[in-house]
Amino acid sequence: MDQVQIPEVVLNSGHKMPAIGFGTAGSPAPVAEQLTPIFIEAIAAGYRHIDTAALYGTEEIVGQAVAEALGRGLIKSRDELFITTKLWCTDADHDLVLPALNQSLRKLGMEYVDLYLIHWPVRIKKDDTNSNKMMHFDIQGTWEAMEDCCRMGLAKSIGVSNYSCAKLSKLLENATIPPAINQVEMNVAWQQQKLMEFAKRNEYTYVHSLHWEHMDPIGVLMQWWRIRSLKTSLQLEIRLPFRFLNKITSIALRWVQDQGATPIVRSFDRERMRKNLQIFDWELTDEEVGKMQQIPQQRASMVKDFISPDGQYKSLEELWDGEI
Ligand SMILES: NC(=O)c1ccc[n+]([C@@H]2O[C@H](COP(=O)([O-])OP(=O)(O)OC[C@H]3O[C@@H](n4cnc5c(N)ncnc54)[C@H](OP(=O)(O)O)[C@@H]3O)[C@@H](O)[C@H]2O)c1
């Protein structure tokens, strides 16, 4: 199969990012011996944007796959790839950011990442198993350290993940480098209209808009569709055209793309990872777009683990600033 030409978007840092990313989180994750060939396969299929995180345990495997892809001539240089990794909550504090990024770089075997993200606006005490594990997250101090990493050239672009509009506004009060990305859950069943409007408004504040990277583009739609097809008598039942059913995952990804966002999609299956790249040479019909607008909205990942009576976020309402 020929390699797909993947368009690129320009971030507010001036760097280019391929408009679809390959997710590397899996639960439970296959072992390294199984994953390395899968990641090499993804590069061979045409993925040039790879999303990992300290939390996923896949940084070393991404590094191995990139080294092997170079060895096999699938890519000519590491610079052809856009590699994202993320700061985990145990390191989410001003003085811990640089050591954490250095450790990620060691695992990746790279001198820089293309994008470094704060995984959550949350700080967790290191190696603590008792109930007082939540600590105060310093939103502005942590960002200052991210900016330092960017200035040092260790991260070409920096950003955040799972931030609400209120938390982004707080960060932007003192930021000298605005975040290039907010990686959030976004799919047809959680369309993130408030965040998308925030992004458009900030286009006027900054030279380029903040860009939204989105995860879970497929999972929730599949789940939604299964529920709907089982409960056909539900009031909200929507009749879907045949093409929709036939191309449901591609349509889910194309919809994200059409919102001005970048889908991060994970398939460890050879055929499906290739199929997921086939979203750039066709368009959604008006009927399909209309169907998407009727889908009931619900955030899938609330992440109750970050709620604690003694912690910074005492309720889901506080964690998400009402965006639930
Ligand atoms: N920043 C954050 O907090 C955060 C949170 C969650 C995820 N992420 C990132 O976003 C990535 C994507 O999220 P995700 O892995 O949760 O969900 P996803 O990519 O939306 O869905 C993955 C699931 O969909 C299946 N799938 C993929 N393509 C398919 C297709 N064409 N047809 C049918 N099934 C298909 C996969 O199975 P097969 O592998 O068997 O194909 C897998 O079970 C993650 O890997 C991670 O990099 C970030």
Side-chain angles (χ1 to χ4, degrees), residues 23 25 51 56 161-162 183 215-218 266-268 272 276:
D51 183 80
Y56 303 162
S161 176
N162 300 303
Q183 187 179 99
M215 57 193 190
D216 269 332
I218 287 182
R266 190 270 291 181
S267 176
F268 292 166
R272 288 194 287 278
N276 292 342

Side-chain angles (χ1 to χ4, degrees), residues 132-145:
N132 296 323
K133 64 177 185 172
M134 305 302 295
M135 297 179 76
H136 178 79
F137 173 66
D138 174 5
I139 200 164
Q140 291 173 330
T142 311
W143 186 250
E144 269 174 34

Side-chain angles (χ1 to χ4, degrees), residues 21-27 38 47 50-53 55-56 58 86 88 117-120 160-162 182-187 213-222 226 248-250 253 263-276 301 303 320:
F22 181 78
T24 66
S27 174
I38 291 171
Y47 286 94
I50 301 176
D51 183 80
T52 181
L55 177 73
Y56 303 162
T58 50
K86 310 185 194 89
W88 184 236
L117 301 178
I118 298 178
H119 207 144
W120 283 92
V160 295
S161 176
N162 300 303
N182 185 18
Q183 187 179 99
V184 294
E185 175 193 341
M186 181 191 184
N187 46 64
E213 228 181 14
H214 303 292
M215 57 193 190
D216 269 332
I218 287 182
V220 173
L221 179 61
M222 297 294 275
R226 277 188 213 113
I248 191 159
T249 51
S250 306
L253 295 173
I264 303 294
V265 62
R266 190 270 291 181
S267 176
F268 292 166
D269 173 85
R270 190 176 186 275
E271 296 309 316
R272 288 194 287 278
M273 71 167 72
R274 282 182 156 74
K275 182 182 170 206
N276 292 342
S301 53
V303 196
W320 296 110

Side-chain angles (χ1 to χ4, degrees), residues 42-109:
I43 295 171
Y47 286 94
R48 292 293 177 267
H49 172 174
I50 301 176
D51 183 80
T52 181
L55 177 73
Y56 303 162
T58 50
E59 289 173 317
E60 269 167 324
I61 307 171
V62 168
Q64 284 162 15
V66 171
E68 208 161 320
L70 275 164
R72 289 191 202 174
L74 295 174
I75 46 171
K76 289 191 186 64
S77 106
R78 178 262 176 265
D79 299 352
E80 289 176 30
L81 298 174
F82 187 99
I83 307 287
T84 300
T85 195
K86 310 185 194 89
L87 175 83
W88 184 236
C89 305
T90 45
D91 294 309
D93 189 53
H94 183 278
D95 294 348
L96 302 177
V97 172
L98 179 58
L101 176 53
N102 277 328
Q103 182 166 1
S104 288
L105 290 171
R106 269 195 301 278
K107 287 187 174 172
L108 284 160

